[in-house]
Amino acid sequence: MGASGSKARGLWPFASAAGGGGPEAAGTEQALVRPRTRAVPPFVFTRRGSMFYDEDGDLAHEFYEETIITKNGQKRAKLRRVHKNLIPQGIVKLDPPRIHVDFPVILYEV
């Protein structure tokens, strides 16, 4: 969600070595002279996890705790969302790898 890292820095990682095809390489000599440091693969192998661990080591998107509320002499159970003491999941390996969002390719199925 939001801007991808390659466009936010002003770099186009999938441009050809000749300089054509990048959004900032519209005929400037500086873009043609810039050396290629490394080839960027079109695949993404990891992503940031969207789940959390709680104190018990359970893994989930959201955690709730049950609270008992007494109202007019009646006991009622209510779920309350837990926001404290949650640890982010971290980096998750993707299997199979995904195509990078900035890779200029058209997917076609016959």
Side-chain angles (χ1 to χ4, degrees), residues 41-101:
F43 300 108
V44 177
F45 297 99
T46 58
R47 68 171 175 85
R48 187 172 45 183
S50 61
M51 295 197 278
F52 297 90
Y53 291 103
D54 67 347
E55 305 98 18
D56 302 329
D58 296 327
L59 181 67
H61 287 284
E62 299 174 337
F63 288 95
Y64 294 92
E65 65 181 0
E66 186 178 11
T67 57
I68 304 296
I69 299 173
T70 304
K71 187 174 182 181
N72 297 332
Q74 296 179 344
K75 290 184 178 179
R76 183 173 169 224
K78 192 171 188 177
L79 293 177
R80 187 173 61 173
R81 188 169 175 188
V82 176
H83 294 283
K84 296 180 180 178
N85 299 327
L86 297 179
I87 302 167
Q89 185 181 14
I91 302 297
V92 177
K93 184 179 177 185
L94 295 174
D95 189 44
R98 311 299 201 271
I99 296 177
H100 194 279
V101 69

